[in-house]
Amino acid sequence: MKGGNYFEESEAAKGKMSGLLGSSTCSGPGETSGPRSPLVTKLREPLTEARFQQLFGVAERESELPTERGGPRLCRLWRRRARTCSGPGVWRLLLARLPPLRWLPRYRLRAWLLGDAVAGVTVGVVHVPQGMAFALLTSVPPVFGLYTSFFPVLIYSLLGTGRHLSTGTFAVLSLMTGSAVEGLVPEPLARNLSGAEREQLDAQRVGVAAALAFGSGALMLGMFALQLGALSTFLSEPVVKALTSGAALHVLVSQLPSLLGLSLPRQMGCFSLFKTLAAVVTALPQGSAAELTISALSLALLVPVKELNVRFRHRLPTPIPGEVVMVLLASVLCFTSSLDTRYNVQIVGLLPGGFPQPHLPNLAELPRILADSLPIALVTFAVSVSLASIYADKYGYNIDANQELLAHGISNLASSLFSCFPNSATLATTSLLVDAGGNTQLAGLFSCIVVLLVLLWLGPFFYYLPKAVLACINISSMRQMFFQMQELPQLWHISRADFAVWMVTWVAVVTLNVDLGLAVGVVFSMMMVVCRTQRVKCLALGLAEGTELYRPVGESSKLLQVPGLCILSYPTPLYFGTRGQFRRVLEQQLGLGGGKQAAKPDGLPDTVGEPVRVVILDFSGVAFADAAGAREVAQLASRCQDAGIYLLLAQCNASVLETLTRVGLLDRVTPDQLFVSVQDAAAHALAKLEQTGPKICTVWV
């Protein structure tokens, strides 16, 4: 016990505490003047829950007509729909579902237009090589990366709420899609395919990739219909960052064959990263010296340019377009040196002009791709909402998670009609858009214009672009994801639990694959939450002298307690996972287990000099209680009654109190034992102790 103990008789204690706290007269109904108790600053009558409702009433609820079929909930939904169908309701619906109707009337033309134009063009210029590079990662021809850099960006600009978000091709999704595509449409064993056979294989893979976009978009629209935007909270920041960082390592390893000029099948399933590394090492003697040279020169240019853009982003008017410079230089070098014919360097080839004819993806593929569409939809939503929230907090506006589901759902579903593969917000281009001065979704329209020019007129200029350069662009774009590991020391310092979630997710993503790693990360983070609720300590409270504040007795040496009175705080939800701990702690503290009080656990020091006669349970930290937890409280009330202990409950929220009532708590306690605060319960408890015992002693702990 901290600070030593000493006991004083009631009258001497009251005199001492009166000097410390000052005297006060009772102002509540039925109270008389007199010095206040040392443990209660008594300014009014103690309020029970029932008395509080008598004095202040309860919140009025909408009238519930039992004669209406379907019950009151259905009636409220019907009335809400009726209000929505009115003229003002339709306009509010349009404002909610078409964000430009909100921000366009307030658009500051002179202040924002130039920044949006410059940022949009800058991002569009990067979209072109990056889109083609991520198309190869998806195992489809490069032109489909350009389609995916156009249609989704256009749709999100009209429906999205993230003003600084840049959407399009994303390396993690491309990797996940490519794995699914090659699993469903594998490379034939005879790898020397004719031109017609190669076109047929590409067409099948494009169909599967579009079906994945359709399936993931449909899933997100279903989530929007169910208003499941809150699901983003289950994908915590450590999970998302570990997922993207681990996936970046997968991207790096998957691009090694292209960097070295090796023609290797993509490894599938668990441990695919290590299988790919083993295959690359085995086939290394067959590598192409020409493509290795191109890759080395490309990385030697791209990596320093990325560093310069990061270090001098505040001084540069616009970031240096290193990808565009590299694409132009490599194309000119390959054309003038005939690298494709002399050294068999793989090139992009002809990019078809215009757009493909819109058509539904092969719906027969949907049952096969459903298992792959779900993790793609979850990653799309998690990354996009997390990234949008970061910049929304930074620039002082709000995003709507459910509207983001709608925007990305329509974006994926509609763009799949034009043979696009799954898309989402992207880390690299979003950061680039912000650094270039973007202010609103209008920047996305300028980005679309750049991609449109390439699709309509500039496509032939990329004919001689080596695919090795696209692989280098893929790797260099992973820079930001790799550097997320620099945050680990700080995360260890802030929260060991979050650090554990980060590491477990990253190891699972790297050793298994992205899909399973995501599942492991989500399950482990949920388990950590459950385990942390089970490790919360039940705390004994004491009064801070001269105040009405009750604090844990282990936090200070100047807290007051009364022998025979035990005030306990249980700051965690009371459900099936914590009911056992709740029972054990209360048995130890109140001596309900074996007839006498056992040794107290940590956080519950022995501060009483006699057996407990009154116990107050502070339920202010109990956010919810399920049936099992509520029954545990009811059983505790019965056991306290049998042991001669007077049980009081303080500060239960409405939902917890309702659950306790439904399991029959009021059959074991009276409404006079339910109080609105610990202070009110303590005042009632002291009066009870004065009636049942000859002396009251204060304890300094």
Side-chain angles (χ1 to χ4, degrees):
M1 186 179 303
K2 292 184 179 181
N5 299 358
Y6 63 88
F7 295 88
E8 298 178 327
E9 295 297 327
S10 177
E11 294 304 321
K14 286 185 178 181
K16 182 177 180 64
M17 295 307 298
S18 296
L20 290 172
L21 301 176
S23 61
S24 173
T25 58
C26 301
S27 58
E31 295 183 355
T32 59
S33 302
R36 56 188 170 185
S37 169
L39 287 187
V40 181
T41 304
K42 200 171 182 183
L43 300 177
R44 53 173 171 75
E45 64 171 332
L47 288 178
T48 63
E49 292 284 352
R51 179 60 175 159
F52 182 86
Q53 292 182 8
Q54 289 176 0
L55 292 175
F56 301 101
V58 294
E60 295 184 3
R61 299 181 180 179
E62 295 185 38
S63 60
E64 299 182 356
L65 303 179
T67 58
E68 297 182 42
R69 255 181 103 81
R73 178 177 175 82
L74 184 60
C75 297
R76 288 196 297 271
L77 292 175
W78 179 262
R79 287 193 292 269
R80 188 181 304 166
R81 178 170 293 184
R83 288 195 297 268
T84 303
C85 293
S86 63
V90 171
W91 177 244
R92 285 195 299 269
L93 181 63
L94 287 175
L95 287 176
R97 299 296 166 244
L98 291 174
L101 294 179
R102 297 199 303 269
W103 58 262
L104 266 180
R106 299 194 297 269
Y107 190 84
R108 290 188 273 175
L109 196 63
R110 293 183 178 180
W112 291 351
L113 183 60
L114 181 60
D116 282 341
V118 172
V121 171
T122 303
V123 170
V125 167
V126 174
H127 266 316
V128 173
Q130 190 168 282
M132 292 190 291
F134 289 162
L136 295 183
L137 196 59
T138 314
S139 299
V140 298
V143 69
F144 294 94
L146 296 180
Y147 300 152
T148 310
S149 299
F150 177 79
F151 291 105
V153 178
L154 181 63
I155 295 171
Y156 185 83
S157 298
L158 301 176
L159 297 176
T161 58
R163 299 179 190 173
H164 299 84
L165 209 62
S166 173
T167 59
T169 57
F170 182 41
V172 176
L173 288 185
S174 296
L175 178 70
M176 297 172 69
T177 305
S179 298
V181 166
E182 295 214 5
L184 296 171
V185 188
E187 188 83 15
L189 295 177
R191 302 184 62 83
N192 295 324
L193 302 179
S194 64
E197 290 173 334
R198 173 58 62 182
E199 288 182 6
Q200 184 180 6
L201 179 66
D202 287 342
Q204 291 177 349
R205 289 182 168 180
V206 168
V208 171
L212 284 167
F214 186 93
S216 61
L219 286 173
M220 283 187 279
L221 288 179
M223 292 165 65
F224 165 75
L226 297 174
Q227 296 292 283
L228 296 180
L231 281 179
S232 61
T233 58
F234 291 98
L235 292 171
S236 63
E237 182 177 331
V239 170
V240 173
K241 289 189 173 182
L243 173 74
T244 53
S245 183
L249 191 57
H250 276 279
V251 172
L252 171 62
V253 173
S254 69
Q255 296 303 290
L256 290 179
S258 298
L259 292 178
L260 302 173
L262 299 172
S263 181
L264 298 174
R266 180 177 293 194
Q267 301 294 328
M268 309 297 296
C270 298
F271 309 106
S272 58
L273 185 144
F274 305 103
K275 294 175 184 177
T276 302
L277 283 175
V280 168
V281 172
T282 303
L284 198 57
Q286 288 83 41
S288 169
E291 293 197 88
L292 178 59
T293 303
I294 292 172
S295 301
L297 293 175
S298 299
L299 290 175
L301 174 66
L302 291 172
V303 173
V305 168
K306 290 279 186 183
E307 290 296 325
L308 289 174
N309 284 335
V310 171
R311 293 195 178 190
F312 300 101
R313 61 180 178 272
H314 299 299
R315 300 183 185 179
L316 295 171
T318 59
I320 303 171
E323 292 90 347
V324 176
V325 173
M326 191 66 248
V327 164
L328 294 176
L329 290 177
S331 299
V332 170
L333 178 63
C334 185
F335 172 72
T336 56
S337 304
S338 301
L339 297 180
D340 56 324
T341 57
R342 294 173 59 186
Y343 299 101
N344 198 28
V345 171
Q346 299 181 39
I347 59 174
V348 168
L350 181 64
L351 293 179
F355 297 104
Q357 291 294 327
H359 65 279
L360 273 175
N362 186 5
L363 299 183
E365 297 285 349
L366 288 181
R368 289 204 300 163
I369 57 91
L370 186 61
D372 296 300
S373 297
L374 180 59
I376 288 175
L378 291 177
V379 171
T380 298
F381 178 53
V383 171
S384 300
V385 171
S386 299
L387 201 56
S389 299
I390 290 173
Y391 289 101
D393 293 341
K394 182 177 180 180
Y395 291 99
Y397 61 90
N398 297 319
I399 65 162
D400 184 346
N402 287 308
Q403 179 65 19
E404 289 296 298
L405 276 174
L406 176 67
H408 290 288
I410 293 180
S411 175
N412 278 271
L413 192 143
S415 63
S416 71
L417 305 180
F418 295 91
S419 302
C420 296
F421 50 84
N423 55 85
S424 73
T426 66
L427 278 68
T429 54
T430 296
S431 177
L432 182 64
L433 184 144
V434 173
D435 291 340
N439 298 290
T440 67
Q441 295 94 319
L442 192 62
L445 299 182
F446 288 101
S447 175
C448 290
I449 292 174
V450 175
V451 179
L452 181 64
L453 292 175
V454 174
L455 284 170
L456 295 180
W457 295 291
L458 303 179
F461 290 99
F462 299 97
Y463 183 93
Y464 289 99
L465 175 61
K467 290 184 178 181
V469 174
L470 297 181
C472 294
I473 292 174
N474 274 334
I475 292 174
S476 65
S477 66
M478 297 295 103
R479 174 192 178 280
Q480 190 173 359
M481 298 185 196
F482 283 127
F483 281 2
Q484 289 179 142
M485 299 188 74
Q486 293 180 338
E487 301 175 7
L488 284 179
Q490 183 183 14
L491 190 61
W492 170 267
H493 178 70
I494 295 173
S495 172
R496 305 287 173 85
D498 286 345
F499 179 87
V501 170
W502 202 106
M503 290 304 301
V504 168
T505 305
W506 187 85
V507 170
V509 169
V510 170
T511 57
L512 302 177
N513 57 42
V514 177
D515 300 357
L516 289 177
L518 173 63
V520 169
V522 172
V523 171
F524 185 76
S525 63
M526 293 297 100
M527 289 175 58
M528 289 295 292
V529 172
V530 173
C531 291
R532 293 171 80 173
T533 61
Q534 292 179 325
R535 295 179 62 185
V536 172
K537 296 178 181 179
C538 187
L539 302 173
L541 303 183
L543 177 69
E545 60 175 285
T547 73
E548 296 183 2
L549 302 177
Y550 287 82
R551 304 292 295 174
V553 295
E555 292 184 1
S556 174
S557 61
K558 296 184 179 180
L559 298 177
L560 306 177
Q561 288 187 300
V562 170
L565 171 61
C566 181
I567 305 175
L568 299 175
S569 174
Y570 192 73
T572 190
L574 190 55
Y575 65 105
F576 65 92
T578 58
R579 57 176 290 193
Q581 182 206 35
F582 177 79
R583 184 195 312 120
R584 288 190 299 272
V585 170
L586 268 296
E587 285 178 350
Q588 290 173 331
Q589 178 68 8
L590 303 180
L592 299 176
K596 63 178 182 179
Q597 287 178 266
K600 306 301 185 293
D602 292 341
L604 296 175
D606 188 6
T607 58
V608 293
E610 61 182 75
V612 175
R613 288 185 283 156
V614 180
V615 60
I616 300 172
L617 294 184
D618 175 14
F619 270 22
S620 60
V622 180
F624 68 89
D626 67 357
R631 289 193 187 99
E632 198 64 49
V633 177
Q635 292 172 9
L636 173 68
S638 297
R639 297 177 68 184
C640 286
Q641 189 175 24
D642 295 340
I645 299 174
Y646 191 57
L647 174 66
L648 305 176
L649 298 184
Q651 211 163 335
C652 295
N653 67 49
S655 64
V656 172
L657 194 57
E658 183 178 3
T659 305
L660 293 175
T661 303
R662 287 177 176 176
V663 299
L665 179 66
L666 292 183
D667 296 335
R668 298 166 174 84
V669 301
T670 67
D672 292 337
Q673 291 172 253
L674 308 177
F675 288 86
V676 297
S677 71
V678 175
Q679 173 72 11
D680 292 277
H684 180 77
L686 287 175
K688 185 76 174 178
L689 288 173
E690 288 177 354
Q691 295 172 3
T692 58
K695 296 179 181 180
I696 300 178
C697 302
T698 60
V699 183
W700 293 59
V701 297

